[in-house]
Amino acid sequence: MERVCIAGGLRSYIGVENGIYRNLSAEQLGAFVLREILYKYQVPEEDIGFVIAGNGVGAGGNLTRLMMLEAGIREEIPAMTVDVQCGSGLEAVSAAAAKIECGLIETAIAGGFESCSTKPVRIRNPHHPDYMGNENYDIRELFEHGNAYRTAKFVPGKPDELAMFRGAEDVAALWKMDKHRLNRYVITSHERAAKAAKDRELQEMIAAPCFAYEEKGAGRKMFGKDEGIRPDISERLLNRLPMLIPGGEYITAGNSCLTHDGAAFVLLCSKEYLTTHGLSKKAEIVDVVSAGGSPWRSPESILPAIDQLLARNHLTVEEITAWEYNEAFAVIDYLMEEKYGKDCGRYNIFGGALAYGHPYGASGGIIILHLLEAMRKLELPDMAKRHGQGKYGIAAIAAAGGIGTAMLLKA
């Protein structure tokens, strides 16, 4: 079967929770980026075979279909929502590519969208076994008794809103991670992201114009930007932040990403459609691997996914031009460097989620777009030159519940 082509894509600016997108629903934000893609690439609506997108904390239902209708796209086009939490966007692109590769459709738009600012509060049904027996539906008491929650349950047993943080803490302790190194990953991520913003290196992938809001009491308007970037972050500040887990030693609000809003999609098509319609190819999707790991140590799940991807395609680390992985925690940077070498000049070269943020369902689309630009910018590694290869790139995510996904692209 012929490989699926990525013709391009766009993302929104990434806003912090209750920031630039605080009054926009996930479907409204996603609809804006979706419309911009159709406009930029001039693909007729009737040619889109499917819209597949990830969403992790939205209102449920087929939110991608709602987003598509919000965008004013013709109702004959089918849409599907994927929820693998952090890995949703990458899995959505994988699903869309599979449909094209099988010949079911010729084109698709895939990626993800998320709004932590407008996500609903979820309330357990009194018949659910996790219900705590409190009949009072005052929302504050519901949270106090554990019957209202913001974070889905990822592992068996008692519900735990801190499950992801505990997993990262356990991984850090198991690998005996150095806290100074964790801080350095955070600082590097912000420095790289700040430089990319200053040099406008990612501007071509930003859907514009962006929404603005009036800042309270400041008498000025705040316009679109990636809000999480802190160019002046320092180790002194990071060392002052409290631990997120009671009794913990590693995980703080500084070395884990915050909660965010954003949307990112790519335009996928067959080679025949690409040629016929005069689109340019950014890359081909070579392979995708999803792998399970310990649900109690979910950051580690990125490793078996990458290992299997490299092995299945007979590639070594030294042959990969660029890497983009979702650094939801600095712990993941540590794992990547320990496992795949210290050539950090090819890892997240524009900064990662520690700086930009992690709008769960959108993150897969974001890292694919960043990877495409990194592959364009970086030179072939020496090993790839010797083997006469093209440029390979890997996008990878560790998701809640212990599911790792890794995608191999070739430019």
Side-chain angles (χ1 to χ4, degrees), residues 67 196 307-308:
M67 174 194 69
D307 286 346
Q308 291 177 38

Side-chain angles (χ1 to χ4, degrees), residues 289-306:
V289 169
S290 296
S294 168
W296 289 274
R297 299 197 306 273
S298 60
E300 289 180 328
S301 64
I302 198 171
L303 302 179
I306 293 174

Side-chain angles (χ1 to χ4, degrees), residues 83-100:
D83 181 3
V84 195
Q85 293 293 294
C86 317
S88 301
L90 210 53
E91 290 289 357
V93 175
S94 174
K99 284 182 174 291
I100 295 171

Side-chain angles (χ1 to χ4, degrees), residues 280-292:
S280 61
K281 182 182 71 175
K282 304 294 185 186
E284 297 175 353
I285 297 177
V286 179
D287 198 5
V288 185
V289 169
S290 296

Side-chain angles (χ1 to χ4, degrees), residues 40-80:
K40 179 174 182 176
Y41 295 100
Q42 293 296 296
V43 177
E45 282 186 21
E46 58 270 21
D47 285 2
I48 302 298
F50 229 112
V51 178
I52 305 179
N55 183 269
V57 296
N62 190 357
L63 205 59
T64 303
R65 173 68 171 173
L66 178 59
M67 174 194 69
M68 195 195 78
L69 296 174
E70 283 275 0
I73 295 175
R74 53 196 298 156
E75 61 187 24
E76 291 84 1
I77 297 169
M80 178 173 72

